[in-house]
Amino acid sequence: METTYNLVVIDNDQNYLNWICSAAESLTPNVRGFIDPSLALSFMEEYPPSLLIMKIDMPRLDGKAMCEIMRKSSKLKDTPIVLISGDTTIGDFSLYFKGVDFVGNNNVAGLLKKVKLYCGIKHTQDKIDEITNGIH
């Protein structure tokens, strides 16, 4: 049985959101895109994703604020996050948040590599948890 991952993508630009979702859907069919970070947060609290792909600089609730909120949530604190920005000097942003990575705008190959990486890690962690829970 093939593993399916649940991805959430947040970007306030509808065209770019569609582009990211389309690229991610080449790896997994369960991709949910949001323009509004608040709606995405509500959805993720109900359905925690395997990975969040999010634009850093958005109005109302930017990437930094979103990371801070997620790290305080028991359901979302361990969710890996890939931040997207046109500002390639912001890569050190990931140093401030556990489980956060960075990719530049329009780098579809880099984005897909990170999706594969983090979904693979999530799959391995789920298997370890399954084995560990079976022991107890």
Side-chain angles (χ1 to χ4, degrees), residues 1-4 123 127:
M1 180 166 73
E2 190 173 317
T3 303
T4 312
H123 176 71
K127 287 292 185 189

Side-chain angles (χ1 to χ4, degrees), residues 25-79:
E25 285 170 347
S26 70
L27 299 175
T28 184
N30 294 342
V31 179
R32 184 76 186 256
F34 293 89
I35 291 177
D36 184 337
S38 299
L39 290 175
L41 191 57
S42 296
F43 176 83
M44 291 188 301
E45 282 288 342
E46 186 72 25
Y47 307 99
S50 306
L51 174 67
L52 169 63
I53 302 168
M54 173 176 58
K55 184 176 177 181
I56 293 174
D57 44 341
M58 293 182 289
R60 292 182 304 213
L61 189 60
D62 67 6
K64 181 178 178 184
M66 188 75 157
C67 289
E68 289 171 351
I69 291 167
M70 289 179 66
R71 295 305 173 230
K72 292 176 185 174
S73 166
S74 61
K75 290 183 178 180
L76 301 174
K77 67 181 180 181
D78 294 323
T79 303

